[in-house]
Amino acid sequence: MANLELKEYNQQTSTTKTRLSWLWSEYSVIIAFLIIFIAASIMSPRFLDINNQLNILMQVSIIGIVALGMTVVMLSGGIDLSVGSVLVLVGVISVLALNASGSIFVAILTALAIGSAAGFLNGLMVAKGRIASFIATLGMMAGARSIALYIAEGGSVSGKVSGFTAIANSDLWLIDYPIIIFLIMTVLVYVLMHKTRFGRYVYALGSNEKAALLSAIRVDRVKLGVYSLAGLLVSVAAIIETSRLNSISSSSSGVQYELDAIAAVIIGGTRMTGGRGKIIGTFFGVLILGILNNMMNLMNVSPHLQGFVKGLIIIVAVLFQKRE
Amino acid sequence: MSADPFMIMKNIEKSFNGVPVLKKVTLEIQRGEIHALLGENGAGKSTLMNVLGGVHQPDNGLINLNGEAVKMTTPRVSQAHGISFIHQELNVVPDLRVYENMFLGSELRNKIGFLKVEEMCRQTSSVLEQLGVSINPKEYVRNLDTSYKQLIEIAKALLHKSSLIIMDEPTSSLAEHEVNRLFKLMNNLKNSGVSIIYISHKLKEIKKVCDRYTVLRDGEVVGTGCIENESLDTITKLMVGKSISEDRFIHGHSFGPVLLEVNHLTSEGLFNNIDFTVRKGEILGFTGLAGDGRTELFESLFGYRKNYSGSIKINNQPVKIDHPSKAIKAGIGLVPKDRKENAIIKDLSVVHNMSLSAMRNFEKFGFIRDQLENQIFQSYKEKLNIKVHNAGITIDKLSGGNQQKVIIAKWLEVNTDIIIFDNPTQGIDVGAKQEIYHHIITLAEQGKAVIILSSEAPEVLKICHNIYVMYQGEITARFKGEEATEDEIMSYATGSKREAHQIG
Ligand SMILES: Nc1ncnc2c1ncn2[C@@H]1O[C@H](COP(=O)(O)OP(=O)(O)OP(=O)(O)O)[C@@H](O)[C@H]1O
Ligand SMILES: [Mg+2]
């Protein structure tokens, strides 16, 4: 009798355990986000202040937009190290275009064109040249930065058209434009990845490239699309970055953006080798990074130590992924 | 039968996400016997073996080995207890050499810690030799044909001096002479006291090598006994609940005009000077041994391989196909062999695997219609009897045979005029095989041209109107389906006869 009860008890715990582990594996980023959010609000009363909250969102919006593109690249089984450098190159050229034409519209178009062209070039090297994405984008990283430095003669370039700064410095009912742009981009990329053929193909390609090809997917074109999209998103981020201060520095802007973006993607649960991960995961990964930065500032942690904390978080996140 | 079996699994229970897969399953294995584990696709055979092999933990139940209770917590523990496991899906690492694969995780080292490469190569060669295979141990596995990959898996299990070997469909991509050699080896092992659990859907093989059997159905044991005392028919009935006819399926036929015409197709080292035509409504079979070039031939036709010369005409129009997507546009579909490598997208759900090659059927204004996808999947699920509780789970959670059915559904959905099936019934149970044959015949009756590649002569004999035999990249014989015999096919497939019969 006792034995029977024990068995039943065993069975029940095992089903609740499997259910919990399912919940954890599907939503671990969101759960981690909630834990960090609650911990932050307990540790610092100023954290929950609406201005602080908006501040966090504002600060993550640029990296957030870059990370969306990085997610798509990593889902396809690649990586894009060139995002920071391309961002600077796009910024520098679009400021020049702005000053030369006097038109904000022309500046934006230039930015989008340069960004997606750089991405397309990455895609060509990876898809047609069969160069490993790490190497191809490492080359682009060095190349794009160098051209930006050359054009700006190592310094900064500033906009001379009034109204350009409005893009990043206006708000709609308290919410700054960059936040709104980040949210819109998140929704768009989400829809692209989960509701269209392109997204399905990216997952297939990242999971089993040979089977994707034998499924009659134009693997090369999908790759070109993936890297071009990442470049396009980088140019959106570049417009915000440039507009925020009305200038961009060819030497110090965009440095280590690739690291922050990759960190957000990894924390968001996307698998390094592709095929598995979610846009929503990256969204929360970005927020987690933002909250951590914010908390360290609020608690006066030395800026020199902040990199250490970030590194630790990435490693912990990857350890949890391995467990699965 | 001795009183205390060598291995007992007692009252094993296992469920996934609340769905019971094994319900109080008991399995007894004697020392030195070959025990057949039988059952339909999704009956729970692989799951039961995964429990024994330490891959899955049972929710309940005991495992007794040599009279002692054991807990198989990890695959390593199971191996340490003398159990070797040949998995249903190939697990070789393509980018490693043959000997590196054989000794993966148990490399031989000398005193200082350096690898004993020559010794490993020597042992690899000698084990492979027992299986009748001569390949260079230093060859990269990615360059080998699938049947060799499967033989490497088998050889790997033989390398460890195990007392119990689990073979989960070891012959699914082997040719007949390779199977026979394996059986000889299994008999030797048996005589030296090794026990073998043998899973297969090929009942003739079971009858040939196995001593006893246990049949699973929906996760329950429905029968166990000695093979000798039973006819194949009773065992089939136990498995699928009905008897299966072994007769030829198709009789009368009428063909339409020629749909596909292939002339002088040649690819250096793979196939040579291939000519054939397929008519509307015709089912054409290609058979031969491993390495006969038929898979490469049709991969070229499908645009996966590009280095070939010769001409391909569809509906009398010359076509140039250099990518699978162009093949589909031209009306050619290919269900590839070796699903794990060539067809399964393991991170996509079952439904998404089904729709992958026919996305345009599921789109409206550029957006995917999830509901339609699910609906269509439901219809295939019923048509092909695919066993899955929740079609939203990733496809690698399905049993091997059910994965294969999803891949077939995927290409039925693409619905091309010419459809090539490469080893289509790999891992599919006897009952479902009949269903799939019926579907293929229906396709032909609808006026499609069907091409079937199979290493099993009985399969092509059963459903093909015309049969081509290949040997070392050349077509060595052409038969009418009703005139060919297995023996004759074999003599052309092995190269002992060569002159080509012409079809009238
Ligand atoms: N990891 C898993 N998660 C969820 N369900 C699973 C998992 N593994 C197996 N199943 C389910 O368990 C059932 C039995 O699967 P199993 O692989 O044991 O079948 P099988 O008898 O080996 O079939 P086949 O002959 O097709 O190989 C199937 O319905 C399958 O969907
Ligand atoms: Mg199985």
Side-chain angles (χ1 to χ4, degrees):
Chain A
M1 193 60 214
N3 210 339
L4 205 80
E5 268 170 27
L6 193 74
K7 253 190 194 162
E8 244 160 44
Y9 170 77
N10 263 340
Q11 218 158 18
Q12 243 167 32
T13 51
S14 78
T15 54
T16 41
K17 218 166 91 188
T18 56
R19 228 167 262 159
L20 272 182
S21 75
W22 175 79
L23 205 70
W24 174 249
S25 72
E26 287 291 297
Y27 297 106
S28 50
V29 211
I30 302 183
I31 295 168
F33 167 77
L34 288 176
I35 292 170
I36 290 173
F37 189 89
I38 292 167
S41 42
I42 293 169
M43 282 198 284
S44 165
R46 266 159 57 210
F47 174 74
L48 278 179
D49 187 89
I50 182 75
N51 281 323
N52 188 47
Q53 292 289 311
L54 286 173
N55 191 17
I56 295 176
L57 278 172
M58 179 74 186
Q59 273 164 358
V60 299
S61 55
I62 291 173
I63 286 296
I65 294 169
V66 173
L68 291 172
M70 186 70 80
T71 312
V72 179
V73 172
M74 287 174 70
L75 280 174
S76 80
I79 198 158
D80 186 352
L81 299 178
S82 70
V83 288
S85 302
V86 171
L87 184 137
V88 171
L89 180 64
V90 170
V92 168
I93 296 181
S94 54
V95 168
L96 293 187
L98 177 77
N99 293 344
S101 69
S103 152
I104 298 172
F105 183 68
V106 169
I108 291 177
L109 277 189
T110 311
L112 300 181
I114 301 284
S116 34
F120 188 78
L121 213 60
N122 278 333
L124 272 183
M125 289 190 280
V126 173
K128 301 287 181 193
R130 302 196 179 274
I131 303 171
S133 58
F134 188 93
I135 307 295
T137 58
L138 191 68
M140 178 61 78
M141 178 182 180
R145 170 75 64 181
S146 155
I147 295 174
L149 283 167
Y150 177 74
I151 294 176
E153 287 164 351
S156 309
V157 289
S158 305
K160 296 195 181 87
V161 176
S162 66
F164 184 63
T165 51
I167 298 174
N169 296 305
S170 320
D171 55 54
L172 188 72
W173 305 308
L174 268 181
I175 305 174
D176 305 277
Y177 276 9
I179 300 176
I180 296 173
I181 298 174
F182 174 40
L183 294 178
I184 292 175
M185 289 298 149
T186 307
V187 172
L188 287 181
V189 176
Y190 173 86
V191 170
L192 184 72
M193 292 307 287
H194 295 289
K195 300 285 169 210
T196 73
R197 186 199 295 213
F198 174 78
R200 198 64 69 72
Y201 289 172
V202 171
Y203 278 95
L205 157 67
S207 179
N208 185 346
E209 186 166 339
K210 189 176 178 197
L213 180 57
L214 281 167
S215 299
I217 293 173
R218 307 227 53 160
V219 169
D220 289 0
R221 291 187 191 174
V222 176
K223 280 185 184 166
L224 283 175
V226 164
Y227 287 90
S228 305
L229 174 69
L232 188 72
L233 285 163
V234 165
S235 60
V236 173
I239 294 168
I240 297 174
E241 173 102 17
T242 315
S243 154
R244 190 137 84 174
L245 299 173
N246 198 23
S247 82
I248 190 145
S249 152
S250 60
S251 59
S252 63
S253 293
V255 173
Q256 292 208 350
Y257 276 21
E258 63 285 343
L259 285 188
D260 281 350
I262 293 168
V265 176
I266 296 287
I267 293 171
T270 295
R271 197 205 278 150
M272 280 296 288
T273 51
R276 193 143 152 204
K278 294 201 175 82
I279 298 299
I280 296 298
T282 297
F283 181 74
F284 282 100
V286 167
L287 293 189
I288 288 176
L289 272 186
I291 293 178
L292 286 173
N293 273 336
N294 182 253
M295 279 310 291
M296 288 191 283
N297 286 335
L298 287 182
M299 293 169 67
N300 289 324
V301 176
S302 154
H304 298 303
L305 264 184
Q306 295 191 358
F308 173 76
V309 176
K310 225 186 279 176
L312 209 64
I313 297 284
I314 297 170
I315 291 167
V316 169
V318 174
L319 272 181
F320 267 110
Q321 267 184 48
K322 274 262 159 66
R323 191 87 55 87
E324 276 182 20
Chain B
M1 238 186 280
S2 63
D4 49 337
F6 170 59
M7 197 281 302
I8 315 176
M9 299 180 83
K10 205 163 183 172
N11 290 331
I12 302 288
E13 290 181 289
K14 175 78 191 169
S15 35
F16 291 108
N17 306 323
V19 182
V21 169
L22 298 174
K23 305 165 194 164
K24 290 200 181 294
V25 174
T26 296
L27 177 69
E28 294 187 359
I29 307 292
Q30 307 291 335
R31 192 181 301 277
E33 76 160 335
I34 302 180
H35 195 107
L37 186 56
L38 306 171
E40 284 179 295
N41 292 135
K45 305 179 295 291
S46 299
T47 307
L48 185 66
M49 291 302 102
N50 279 331
V51 167
L52 182 58
V55 180
H56 290 320
Q57 296 309 305
D59 300 338
N60 256 315
L62 295 170
I63 301 175
N64 228 309
L65 198 66
N66 253 333
E68 264 176 64
V70 285
K71 266 210 152 41
M72 306 296 186
T73 43
T74 65
R76 255 179 195 282
V77 171
S78 172
Q79 214 176 53
H81 279 104
I83 298 177
S84 284
F85 197 164
I86 302 167
H87 287 271
Q88 181 168 14
E89 309 292 342
L90 294 177
N91 277 317
V92 287
V93 187
D95 289 329
L96 290 182
R97 295 167 200 276
V98 173
Y99 80 89
E100 289 171 329
N101 262 289
M102 295 279 289
F103 285 89
L104 196 61
S106 55
E107 290 83 357
L108 301 180
R109 287 169 198 283
N110 63 18
K111 280 187 200 116
I112 331 169
F114 286 110
L115 292 174
K116 294 201 273 189
V117 174
E118 289 315 314
E119 173 64 13
M120 289 194 278
C121 287
R122 201 190 52 74
Q123 290 193 21
T124 302
S125 297
S126 93
V127 178
L128 284 171
E129 211 162 280
Q130 291 176 46
L131 285 162
V133 186
S134 57
I135 36 180
N136 181 359
K138 289 190 176 159
E139 179 71 75
Y140 281 103
V141 166
R142 60 167 178 265
N143 300 334
L144 298 175
D145 195 75
T146 334
S147 76
Y148 288 130
K149 290 182 194 159
Q150 198 157 40
L151 288 165
I152 289 170
E153 290 268 1
I154 295 170
K156 195 170 157 186
L158 300 177
L159 205 60
H160 311 283
K161 305 271 174 272
S162 318
S163 49
L164 176 64
I165 304 178
I166 304 167
M167 300 186 172
D168 195 347
E169 299 191 32
T171 60
S172 59
S173 34
L174 296 190
E176 189 152 329
H177 66 289
E178 292 165 329
V179 174
N180 287 335
R181 232 175 256 131
L182 174 66
F183 286 174
K184 215 183 274 167
L185 201 75
M186 284 167 66
N187 275 321
N188 289 344
L189 285 170
K190 175 173 107 175
N191 294 334
S192 62
V194 175
S195 311
I196 297 172
I197 301 178
Y198 189 80
I199 301 178
S200 175
H201 292 294
K202 302 177 183 171
L203 291 181
K204 274 190 197 141
E205 294 183 351
I206 304 285
K207 195 81 186 163
K208 231 183 203 165
V209 278
C210 297
D211 304 307
R212 294 198 308 137
Y213 69 89
T214 298
V215 180
L216 285 181
R217 199 159 156 196
D218 287 330
E220 282 174 288
V221 176
V222 290
T224 174
C226 286
I227 295 276
E228 266 179 348
N229 308 337
E230 312 286 350
S231 69
L232 280 183
D233 203 42
T234 19
I235 298 177
T236 312
K237 263 192 201 148
L238 265 180
M239 281 170 61
V240 298
K242 58 181 184 214
S243 21
I244 301 293
S245 125
E246 285 296 322
D247 296 342
R248 219 177 118 72
F249 264 55
I250 43 165
H251 302 287
H253 49 250
S254 60
F255 302 137
V258 169
L259 194 53
L260 171 70
E261 184 180 342
V262 171
N263 283 313
H264 310 302
L265 221 58
T266 299
S267 176
E268 191 91 21
L270 295 173
F271 48 85
N272 191 13
N273 209 9
I274 302 287
D275 294 306
F276 68 90
T277 58
V278 203
R279 288 160 286 184
K280 281 181 166 230
E282 182 176 356
I283 306 176
L284 187 61
F286 274 79
T287 186
L289 304 180
D292 61 359
R294 62 174 187 277
T295 293
E296 290 79 4
L297 167 63
F298 284 95
E299 281 176 351
S300 306
L301 216 60
F302 186 58
Y304 177 71
R305 291 172 189 269
K306 300 181 190 89
N307 295 325
Y308 63 87
S309 60
S311 79
I312 302 168
K313 283 187 196 161
I314 292 174
N315 272 329
N316 247 332
Q317 297 293 317
V319 288
K320 180 89 194 92
I321 297 171
D322 56 8
H323 191 280
S325 70
K326 290 196 183 156
I328 289 192
K329 281 215 187 80
I332 304 180
L334 169 73
V335 183
K337 66 171 185 181
D338 306 332
R339 57 177 171 269
K340 185 180 178 186
E341 207 177 306
N342 299 329
I344 295 291
I345 311 279
K346 69 176 195 312
D347 294 308
L348 286 186
S349 72
V350 176
V351 178
H352 294 178
N353 265 282
M354 181 276 298
S355 58
L356 191 62
S357 295
M359 289 309 297
R360 69 181 75 245
N361 297 0
F362 301 98
E363 281 175 333
K364 196 173 187 179
F365 309 124
F367 294 106
I368 299 170
R369 300 165 68 189
D370 298 323
Q371 233 180 340
L372 184 68
E373 256 184 323
N374 285 321
Q375 262 170 24
I376 301 278
F377 178 74
Q378 282 307 320
S379 73
Y380 281 113
K381 183 180 162 185
E382 272 153 40
K383 246 206 273 194
L384 300 175
N385 193 15
I386 300 171
K387 213 166 153 187
V388 53
H389 282 278
N390 166 9
I393 58 174
T394 51
I395 192 166
D396 58 339
K397 304 267 166 38
L398 254 56
S399 86
N402 285 303
Q403 292 180 14
Q404 184 70 21
K405 291 182 196 172
V406 175
I407 297 308
I408 291 179
K410 164 174 157 182
W411 286 98
L412 292 181
E413 183 57 29
V414 181
N415 198 18
T416 45
D417 287 341
I418 303 163
I419 178 159
I420 305 158
F421 292 92
D422 196 352
N423 211 358
T425 56
Q426 183 174 30
I428 287 192
D429 71 47
V430 280
K433 244 182 209 174
Q434 309 296 304
E435 295 296 319
I436 286 174
Y437 294 154
H438 278 297
H439 278 292
I440 290 176
I441 289 164
T442 318
L443 287 178
E445 281 166 359
Q446 288 166 1
K448 297 187 185 308
V450 182
I451 297 168
I452 297 190
L453 318 188
S454 175
S455 50
E456 288 171 59
E459 184 161 272
V460 289
L461 280 171
K462 212 180 221 177
I463 53 169
C464 295
H465 297 117
N466 288 305
I467 298 169
Y468 285 37
V469 185
M470 285 182 70
Y471 173 69
Q472 293 188 343
E474 288 182 25
I475 294 177
T476 51
R478 304 159 194 237
F479 295 104
K480 284 194 170 158
E482 58 271 19
E483 286 166 4
T485 64
E486 222 176 307
D487 288 339
E488 223 176 334
I489 287 179
M490 273 321 283
S491 62
Y492 284 100
T494 51
S496 56
K497 276 190 178 176
R498 275 194 86 100
E499 66 174 321
H501 282 213
Q502 211 53 48
I503 302 182

